[in-house]
Amino acid sequence: MESFEFKTADGFVLQGRLYGEPVDSHAAVLIVPAMGVPQRFYADFAEWLVGQGHAVMSFDYRGVGESRPAQMKNSLRGLQADINTWAEQDTSAALAWLDARVSERTPIHWLGHSLGGQIFGMVPNRNRVSRVVTIGVGTGYWLRNAAKARAYVWWLWFVVAPLAMKLHGYFPGKRLRKVGDLPLGVMQQWRRACLNRDYLVGVGGEKMRADYAAITTPILSLSFTDDEYMSARNTADMHAFYATAPRDMRRIAPQDVGEKRIGHFGFFRQRFAPTLWPQVSQWLALHTST
């Protein structure tokens, strides 16, 4: 694994990791993280993908993990960023960095966890991507969240988040043990989206809706019946925005793979290497070879 820095078009320095050798790999995978989740969370899965013949890149959005500026160690107040910034600047730059290190004939696949699968339609150079895999991806619309989460998200969106942002100038999620620290603009936009029936697409307007509908990149969706946040309706609604894309929608129960729990984050745990992880590599191999 190689750690490196790369710059976005607006000059922000981000931190990334490269697993494997692009020149020796039959395909590359960009891991696009969930909201507030540092790239190190995906390290075991990235290393496993290398063993399947892929080069893998991960990265941290600005303000998260290793891409948090040193001078903002204790507070993200003043960091200018929203979800559009993460998609149009940060993720776009990561995709461009990876593209520059593989041949033009090498397919690049996108693996998005939660937010990472929601923002594909917002990334300007997304046409370089050959296949998309979404893990635990749905809309964040709160009235369609998993039933057990609705009281929690009501408290978050109508009480905790507004007060915390007003008091601190960012969302101090680490201190509150909710999501993680987030830039003010990210949390503001995410809150608006989660209160909108059509989520980010509803907030983004008709151009964004058209951008999503025009995508023809094949998608594999893995969602889980015990996801504590995303209901089956959330997942269906989000992938419906990718209206033209071929979609392989798989909803998996823990008992289907001999487990008691998967949840929103469990897929990336090493214990799922024999059961869940091959669904990704096999689907990518099938489509890479066709």
Side-chain angles (χ1 to χ4, degrees):
M1 187 273 289
E2 170 195 354
S3 296
F4 59 91
E5 293 182 345
F6 64 102
K7 279 189 177 182
T8 63
D10 64 354
F12 202 96
V13 177
L14 299 176
Q15 302 296 319
R17 295 181 179 184
L18 180 66
Y19 300 80
E21 295 291 340
V23 294
D24 298 330
S25 303
H26 59 73
V29 175
L30 178 66
I31 296 179
V32 187
M35 178 74 71
V37 177
Q39 63 180 316
R40 63 179 179 270
F41 177 72
Y42 306 102
D44 289 341
F45 181 65
E47 291 173 355
W48 182 87
L49 280 175
V50 171
Q52 312 307 306
H54 296 84
V56 182
M57 177 183 173
S58 64
F59 70 99
D60 286 317
Y61 304 118
R62 67 186 69 188
V64 177
E66 297 165 14
S67 295
R68 182 169 181 153
Q71 68 273 24
M72 292 186 169
K73 180 179 179 180
N74 297 318
S75 172
L76 290 177
R77 180 187 287 271
L79 180 60
Q80 301 299 309
D82 58 14
I83 296 173
N84 287 75
T85 310
W86 281 0
E88 297 167 5
Q89 292 287 335
D90 300 359
T91 310
S92 176
L95 180 55
W97 189 95
L98 184 57
D99 187 21
R101 282 152 184 84
V102 299
S103 79
E104 62 182 15
R105 297 183 301 277
T106 301
I108 296 178
H109 304 310
W110 175 295
L111 189 135
H113 178 210
S114 198
L115 180 74
Q118 296 166 356
I119 63 173
F120 180 66
M122 299 167 65
V123 176
N125 52 343
R126 61 186 175 272
N127 287 340
R128 180 59 178 91
V129 174
S130 298
R131 299 289 181 266
V132 173
V133 178
T134 67
I135 307 294
V137 171
T139 71
Y141 179 47
W142 78 286
L143 286 176
R144 292 178 182 165
N145 280 146
K148 291 182 179 179
R150 286 177 204 151
Y152 165 81
V153 295
W154 180 91
W155 177 248
L156 177 65
W157 297 134
F158 291 101
V159 180
V160 176
L163 286 174
M165 289 188 290
K166 185 175 182 179
L167 286 172
H168 298 280
Y170 74 106
F171 184 70
K174 185 175 180 180
R175 189 182 312 172
L176 297 172
R177 298 184 179 182
K178 298 178 187 297
V179 187
D181 291 353
L182 299 174
L184 180 63
V186 168
M187 193 60 171
Q188 289 174 330
Q189 186 178 3
W190 191 31
R191 180 180 181 273
R192 289 196 303 273
C194 288
L195 299 181
N196 188 298
R197 184 185 61 185
D198 287 339
Y199 193 53
L200 288 168
V201 175
V203 171
E206 290 308 309
K207 182 183 182 304
M208 185 180 292
R209 191 180 300 273
D211 286 344
Y212 275 76
I215 290 168
T216 58
T217 311
I219 298 173
L220 169 66
S221 164
L222 301 183
S223 64
F224 312 104
T225 58
D226 66 333
D227 191 317
E228 57 269 39
Y229 301 113
M230 300 295 176
S231 66
R233 182 65 182 273
N234 284 142
T235 298
D237 287 349
M238 186 68 236
H239 290 81
F241 295 125
Y242 298 111
T244 311
R247 285 156 285 167
D248 183 345
M249 306 290 292
R250 304 180 188 179
R251 189 149 181 90
I252 301 165
Q255 56 267 32
D256 295 340
V257 292
E259 293 282 347
K260 294 181 179 179
R261 175 119 181 92
I262 302 173
H264 192 63
F265 298 97
F267 172 89
F268 297 97
R269 307 297 183 189
Q270 272 192 325
R271 69 177 183 272
F272 291 106
T275 53
L276 293 178
W277 293 4
Q279 295 202 35
V280 172
S281 59
Q282 290 166 7
W283 187 83
L284 291 178
L286 174 65
H287 288 279
T288 299
S289 62
T290 57

